[in-house]
Amino acid sequence: MSLKALDPNKTYLITGAAGFIGYYLSKKLLEQGCAVMGIDNLNDFYDVNLKYARLRELEPYEKFTFIKGDISDKEMVLGCFEEYKPNVVVNLAAQAGVRNSLDNPDVYIQSNIIGFFNVLEACRRFPVEHLVYASSSSVYGANKKVPFEETDSVDTPVSLYASTKKSNELMAYTYSHLYKIPATGLRFFTVYGPMGRPDMAYFTFTDKYFAGKSIKIFNNGDFENDLYRDFTYIDDIVEGIERVISNPPAADHGILHKLFNIGNNKPEKLMVFIETLEKCLGKELGREVLFEKIFEPIKAGDVHATYASMELLQNAVGFKPKTPIEEGLQKFVDWYVHYYKAK
Ligand SMILES: NC(=O)c1ccc[n+]([C@@H]2O[C@H](COP(=O)([O-])OP(=O)(O)OC[C@H]3O[C@@H](n4cnc5c(N)ncnc54)[C@H](O)[C@@H]3O)[C@@H](O)[C@H]2O)c1
């Protein structure tokens, strides 16, 4: 396998750079001397202070430029491409969250459809060597066959969020085909870690514990038939993206568009994940930690299991995630307790 390494002479445009994944990716590229141009609208979907804290860590790097802007603003997107002429684009800006897409659908269309369309248009007008964009495991919907493979049918998304991600894959395929843009979509599976997203379960459970509140678990209280998630540690996601960005699809039978899963390839029962979080908290705090749990029915839009096949990515770039949840959750807990001075 002959793989290309990152080229520090290139300019990488990362949308959603103040977000969880965008921040870690930007940092990794900057550490290696690359120029990173970050765009983010710094919306308040979750505590915006965390986004500012991430940006503060990026600002000391000389080759980091940040633009506060919305990718649904076409003039802004085109202007950035014209001025900075990125070699590689990584589109991570999106409205995330499955459940929120049932209550606030408009923003999903605005950011994930119109915003992504603007990024595609910019790549057409100012050609790039590679467009990498975030898709999601949610495109697999209620598929029963596991592990989920990239060749599986994904025509039955069960949330608007999933529909927008599937739409991104179709739009990227078309632009790649028509305008010869090398493009890769990455289907991320439940990403977690320090400085992660406060709207995600592991984070809200931890918040609730320190606030002395009970946690709600949407698995019907059925432990025999529990929900399964392929929880993927942030460093593994970033390493996967890093390897992919330097190795754009070569015109394989004329197709310049590829899709890869990035998931842990080891689904965990939700209850095991929660017990591990309790143990990690207990270790950090030096006392027994038990969440007060309330069990409720599964929520509309949620899926029963996610499980990534990693064969395709491993064959392409020789990598699959490796961090066990015990290690990843301990790092999250250590960060959380220090960052929020939690007792
Ligand atoms: N974290 C996960 O578990 C996960 C799983 C699957 C897919 N994804 C996808 O990965 C990407 C990154 O996710 P994340 O977990 O880092 O989420 P995040 O919300 O932390 O990061 C997204 C960032 O994009 C910004 N943003 C949103 N809409 C924007 C717009 N219209 N213009 C400019 N900036 C905008 C937000 O302010 C935020 O900082 C998203 O596309 C998400 O859908 C994440």
Side-chain angles (χ1 to χ4, degrees), residues 17-19 23 40 42 49-60 64 66:
Y23 154 69
D40 200 298
L42 300 176
N49 289 315
L50 197 51
K51 297 184 183 181
Y52 285 115
R54 296 180 187 130
L55 282 181
R56 275 197 301 276
E57 304 251 331
L58 300 178
E59 273 154 10
F64 181 62
F66 180 71

Side-chain angles (χ1 to χ4, degrees), residues 194-320:
M195 281 205 155
R197 274 190 13 226
D199 61 300
M200 291 183 73
Y202 69 99
F203 207 121
T204 55
F205 291 167
T206 311
D207 284 342
K208 291 257 163 70
Y209 171 73
F210 285 109
K213 293 185 178 158
S214 52
I215 64 166
K216 284 187 181 167
I217 304 172
F218 301 101
N219 65 352
N220 309 312
D222 181 356
F223 309 140
E224 289 301 306
N225 192 25
D226 201 357
L227 306 188
Y228 282 84
R229 288 288 177 277
D230 214 349
F231 295 100
T232 316
Y233 189 62
I234 182 67
D235 289 1
D236 289 327
I237 291 287
V238 171
E239 180 161 359
I241 304 175
E242 189 190 338
R243 287 183 186 229
V244 164
I245 53 182
S246 314
N247 294 282
D252 207 2
H253 311 292
I255 298 171
L256 278 171
H257 178 260
K258 286 217 156 106
L259 281 168
F260 294 111
N261 291 334
I262 308 191
N264 215 33
N265 189 230
K266 190 178 180 302
E268 303 284 353
K269 280 187 172 185
L270 187 56
M271 289 312 292
V272 170
F273 187 77
I274 293 170
E275 279 160 21
T276 309
L277 180 57
E278 288 174 327
K279 278 188 201 140
C280 293
L281 273 164
K283 203 165 158 199
E284 175 68 20
L285 299 170
R287 61 172 186 258
E288 193 187 16
V289 169
L290 279 180
F291 297 147
E292 195 186 316
K293 306 175 185 81
I294 297 174
F295 296 100
E296 298 212 343
I298 186 167
K299 287 260 194 184
D302 279 4
V303 301
H304 188 262
T306 66
Y307 179 0
S309 160
M310 286 306 300
E311 235 179 277
L312 216 55
L313 190 78
Q314 195 160 25
N315 288 340
V317 297
F319 173 75
K320 70 178 224 178

Side-chain angles (χ1 to χ4, degrees), residues 12-39 54-55 58 61 63-66 92 238:
Y12 297 81
L13 189 157
I14 301 180
T15 72
F20 175 35
I21 301 173
Y23 154 69
Y24 278 100
L25 178 66
S26 300
K27 192 155 183 274
K28 186 105 187 261
L29 299 185
L30 289 163
E31 278 165 359
Q32 293 173 74
C34 304
V36 172
M37 217 246 120
I39 300 178
R54 296 180 187 130
L55 282 181
L58 300 178
Y61 290 90
K63 287 175 145 184
F64 181 62
T65 312
F66 180 71
L92 299 170
V238 171

